[in-house]
Amino acid sequence: ALRGPPSRCGMEREGGDGSLAFRVLQNRSHEKMKLRKRKSTLYLGAQEKSTGRRRDLLGENIYLVLFTIALRIFNCFLVQTSFVPDEYWQSLEVAHHMVFNNYGYLTWEWTERLRGYAYPLIFASIYKILHLLGKDSVQLLIWIPRLAQALLSAVADIRLYSLMKQLENQEVARWVFFCQLCSWFTWYCCTRTLTNTMETVLTIIALFYYPLEGSKSMNSVKYSSLVALAFIIRPTAIIPWIPLLFRHFCQEQRKLDLILHHFLPVGFVTLSLSLIIDRIFFGQWTLVQFNFLKFNVLQNLGTFYGSHPWHWYFSQGFPVVLGTHLPFFIHGCFLAPKRYRILLVTVLWTLLVYSMLSHKEFRFIYTVLPFCMVFCGYSITHLKTWKKPALSFLFLSNMLLALYTGLVHQRGTLDVMSYIQKVCYNSPNKSSASILVMMPCHSTPYYSHVHCPLPMRFLQCPPDLTGKSQYLDEADIFYLNPLNWLHKEFRDDASLPTHLIIFSVLEEEISAFLISSNYERTAVFFHTHLPEGRIGSHIYVYERKLKGKLNKMKF
């Protein structure tokens, strides 16, 4: 009989139970391998693809990041008012002087070496690139630095959201994010070229890497580098970080390693970088951080620019900056877990330290505003019955205030710069026109918002550094007797400027001079609904008309 090939059954019988078991295990493992392969190529591939989409930008959903960036850019264009002189005179004006040094102006802080060039260097780099590309138009010089600041603020917003998602959950993170985005003061400040804005941005990003309980992104080198950079830009940035650094040091088991391998190298590198930058631009070795602290803290000479009672931050400053977030902040302080106590301590510590200084401003405490948003978000998370009305109230109240302060309040000093640009570009000879700004010193920006070598002058107001008891700056002398100052300053018609810029409150007092010198009002700009002291509700532009032209007009 012919014998065919052995059947599979026969082989299994010949191999016995061991062979059968082996085959079964082999088949199962083969099936598992197939499943794993299918899962790897299909399921995991799709998951990684979607995860990649979610984590394309800053570790978060790309649509969330793009929304935040778009919102801050929109925010940037909806802020068309002035806040404080430092927004221009300690950043853009310095950067303009660095790049276009044939014309520009540096305030007394730079001659006294109280400020460092690290922060203006960011904007000077932007100006230089625009200049090399032949795109240094005045509008780009104004808006590109602000857009850059808006992008950095968007990054900080995302980092705050990511941190809260790590510490809590997505719901709490969402409400903290909401509070941060609709804060009127954040909206008002976060796109301005203030050192306080950069200080706040760096503080939020540094907090993302700070070793808070539950954080998954802690990194001592990264957070300490950002703190050191904030200190270089604005030395008072160290104030809110003192309790945070002290807590980290106390909780760290390897304290010597933390100091020797993290804090000291970071401090050495950043301080050396600051010294080198200032050495290049000042022409000599200067520790501007010490000079800044000596002037503002040790000598307390900042009182020259105004002083407030010790309780001002608690009674006015902090409530105004928080706005309608204040009840949510207080509510959140009682609800938040103990691990957030260090953030509350930081807020109180910062308020107390700044309260000891006589000169106080709202922007000084902007740095701790994001800390407060953590408690506001925690409060909203735990609201049940009144959540929707509370959210509507919070959003509408903040947006109304943000839009008013961003589009209406104190906009005249920027609008008048557009008029000066036209004066410059319409003049056949740049030296034929000249501008005198007779307003409280540094009321307007300067060459960074004109970008034209037009002769301009404003009333000076440097503080007294010699210790005189009866010291008066040029602006004070002018306002004591404006008419007398004008007659002494301009003894003949040839020295008179072609354009005068004044607040409306000054017009009546110098009307005799305006008439005798043939000045006519040619433009009016609204400034504020809340005029105070030397600041009027409107800004007037007076142009000097030649006598020949006047006679021709009468004829």
Side-chain angles (χ1 to χ4, degrees):
L2 295 172
R3 294 184 63 186
S7 68
R8 184 176 177 185
C9 242
M11 287 180 68
E12 285 174 354
R13 281 197 299 271
E14 287 173 9
D17 294 336
S19 177
L20 179 63
F22 174 76
R23 290 296 182 111
V24 171
L25 287 171
Q26 191 178 28
N27 289 337
R28 285 182 179 174
S29 66
H30 184 62
E31 287 175 4
K32 285 182 180 178
M33 189 165 60
K34 278 186 177 180
L35 284 172
R36 280 198 300 270
K37 187 178 180 182
R38 190 188 312 160
K39 188 176 181 182
S40 169
T41 56
L42 299 177
Y43 177 75
L44 280 181
Q47 189 183 43
E48 285 172 2
K49 196 174 180 182
S50 65
T51 303
R53 286 195 192 116
R54 285 199 309 269
R55 298 183 179 279
D56 264 351
L57 288 173
L58 304 174
E60 291 298 336
N61 185 294
I62 189 171
Y63 298 110
L64 178 68
V65 176
L66 291 177
F67 165 77
T68 310
I69 291 172
L71 182 68
R72 287 308 179 201
I73 291 173
F74 183 62
N75 181 173
C76 180
F77 287 113
L78 284 184
V79 175
Q80 301 174 20
T81 56
S82 61
F83 181 23
V84 289
D86 282 9
E87 181 180 355
Y88 317 107
W89 292 91
Q90 306 304 340
S91 54
L92 300 185
E93 294 303 330
V94 182
H96 194 276
H97 186 271
M98 291 164 72
V99 178
F100 310 101
N101 54 11
N102 56 331
Y103 60 97
Y105 189 89
L106 293 178
T107 58
W108 67 272
E109 290 101 326
W110 299 90
T111 57
E112 296 294 330
R113 302 192 300 277
L114 262 68
R115 303 277 185 172
Y117 280 94
Y119 184 57
L121 186 60
I122 299 171
F123 305 114
S125 303
I126 295 172
Y127 284 177
K128 190 65 178 178
I129 292 169
L130 291 173
H131 178 61
L132 292 174
L133 294 174
K135 301 294 183 182
D136 55 325
S137 67
V138 64
Q139 292 303 319
L140 289 180
L141 293 182
I142 292 170
W143 288 105
I144 295 295
R146 290 198 54 199
L147 286 170
Q149 192 70 65
L151 290 174
L152 289 173
S153 295
V155 171
D157 295 334
I158 292 295
R159 285 303 187 211
L160 183 62
Y161 172 79
S162 301
L163 176 63
M164 292 312 301
K165 203 164 67 170
Q166 292 176 21
L167 297 178
E168 292 291 337
N169 53 55
Q170 196 161 11
E171 185 185 7
V172 176
R174 189 186 301 123
W175 294 125
V176 171
F177 189 61
F178 170 81
C179 291
Q180 171 72 2
L181 293 186
C182 79
S183 165
W184 83 271
F185 196 76
T186 299
W187 180 279
Y188 186 58
C189 291
C190 73
T191 64
R192 297 184 183 276
T193 51
L194 280 165
T195 53
N196 306 89
T197 302
M198 184 61 78
E199 172 191 5
T200 304
V201 164
L202 293 173
T203 295
I204 298 173
I205 301 174
L207 193 65
F208 177 75
Y209 297 108
Y210 180 79
L212 286 168
E213 184 183 344
S215 175
K216 299 172 185 175
S217 54
M218 56 184 70
N219 187 309
S220 297
V221 173
K222 286 184 179 180
Y223 100 76
S224 57
S225 298
L226 290 163
V227 173
L229 184 58
F231 174 75
I232 286 173
I233 290 172
R234 188 171 180 84
T236 51
I238 197 64
I239 292 173
W241 280 99
I242 289 174
L244 290 164
L245 291 169
F246 182 73
R247 174 188 174 274
H248 184 194
F249 178 76
C250 291
Q251 291 188 344
E252 180 63 44
Q253 294 180 350
R254 296 178 297 176
K255 291 179 172 56
L256 191 62
D257 183 64
L258 178 68
I259 293 174
L260 294 179
H261 296 93
H262 294 86
F263 289 169
L264 284 181
V266 164
F268 176 77
V269 170
T270 50
L271 194 59
S272 299
L273 183 64
S274 173
L275 284 168
I276 292 169
I277 291 172
D278 291 329
R279 173 68 177 83
I280 292 170
F281 291 101
F282 280 124
Q284 56 182 302
W285 294 107
T286 307
L287 189 61
V288 293
Q289 290 77 24
F290 173 75
N291 293 342
F292 182 88
L293 291 172
K294 179 183 175 183
F295 178 87
N296 289 286
V297 179
L298 300 179
Q299 297 179 340
N300 201 21
L301 291 176
T303 53
F304 180 79
Y305 295 106
S307 60
H308 298 82
W310 68 269
H311 57 78
W312 185 83
Y313 282 118
F314 293 97
S315 59
Q316 296 179 54
F318 189 62
V320 168
V321 167
L322 264 180
T324 52
H325 283 76
L326 183 59
F328 299 96
F329 169 73
I330 296 171
H331 182 232
C333 289
F334 290 102
L335 293 175
K338 288 185 178 179
R339 64 175 174 271
Y340 295 120
R341 192 175 294 167
I342 182 60
L343 300 183
L344 185 57
V345 168
T346 301
V347 172
L348 293 174
W349 161 263
T350 304
L351 293 176
L352 285 170
V353 172
Y354 277 118
S355 294
M356 290 188 289
L357 301 176
S358 297
H359 181 59
K360 300 173 176 65
E361 294 186 37
F362 293 112
R363 62 189 175 103
F364 292 169
I365 57 173
Y366 176 37
T367 318
V368 296
L369 187 57
F371 291 58
C372 301
M373 296 302 110
V374 174
F375 298 95
C376 295
Y378 213 88
S379 169
I380 292 174
T381 305
H382 288 77
L383 289 178
K384 302 299 179 186
T385 309
W386 297 96
K387 180 173 284 190
K388 286 185 179 179
L391 291 173
S392 300
F393 166 72
L394 197 60
F395 176 77
L396 291 174
S397 59
N398 277 274
M399 284 304 100
L400 287 172
L401 194 53
L403 291 173
Y404 177 76
T405 55
L407 293 173
V408 180
H409 181 61
Q410 295 185 171
R411 69 167 298 138
T413 50
L414 291 184
D415 290 340
V416 76
M417 300 310 292
S418 299
Y419 182 90
I420 296 175
Q421 292 168 23
K422 293 174 183 176
V423 169
C424 182
Y425 295 120
N426 292 337
S427 298
N429 181 7
K430 304 302 180 192
S431 60
S432 64
S434 56
I435 309 292
L436 173 59
V437 182
M438 295 191 297
M439 302 160 74
C441 64
H442 307 126
S443 290
T444 65
Y446 216 45
Y447 284 108
S448 67
H449 282 57
V450 177
H451 194 51
C452 176
L454 180 70
M456 294 198 295
R457 180 185 170 186
F458 64 95
L459 302 174
Q460 303 284 331
C461 59
D464 175 39
L465 302 175
T466 61
K468 292 180 181 177
S469 56
Q470 299 296 326
Y471 173 76
L472 291 174
D473 59 43
E474 185 181 31
D476 288 332
I477 295 170
F478 169 79
Y479 279 105
L480 282 175
N481 193 332
L483 206 56
N484 185 52
W485 186 91
L486 286 166
H487 286 304
K488 283 184 178 179
E489 194 70 23
F490 306 107
R491 296 181 182 276
D492 55 77
D493 290 350
S495 61
L496 287 169
T498 59
H499 293 77
L500 300 177
I501 299 175
I502 64 171
F503 274 121
S504 52
V505 292
L506 187 65
E507 183 185 44
E508 186 177 350
E509 198 166 354
I510 64 169
S511 59
F513 174 82
L514 296 173
I515 294 169
S516 63
S517 301
N518 300 319
Y519 280 101
E520 285 187 359
R521 190 199 299 173
T522 55
V524 177
F525 299 96
F526 170 79
H527 184 62
T528 179
H529 290 111
L530 305 169
E532 183 182 4
R534 298 173 179 177
I535 298 173
S537 60
H538 291 76
I539 292 174
Y540 294 157
V541 178
Y542 275 86
E543 184 178 354
R544 188 164 183 261
K545 304 295 183 180
L546 296 177
K547 290 183 179 180
K549 287 186 178 180
L550 286 171
N551 293 332
K552 188 176 181 181
M553 287 172 65
K554 288 177 182 177
F555 176 78

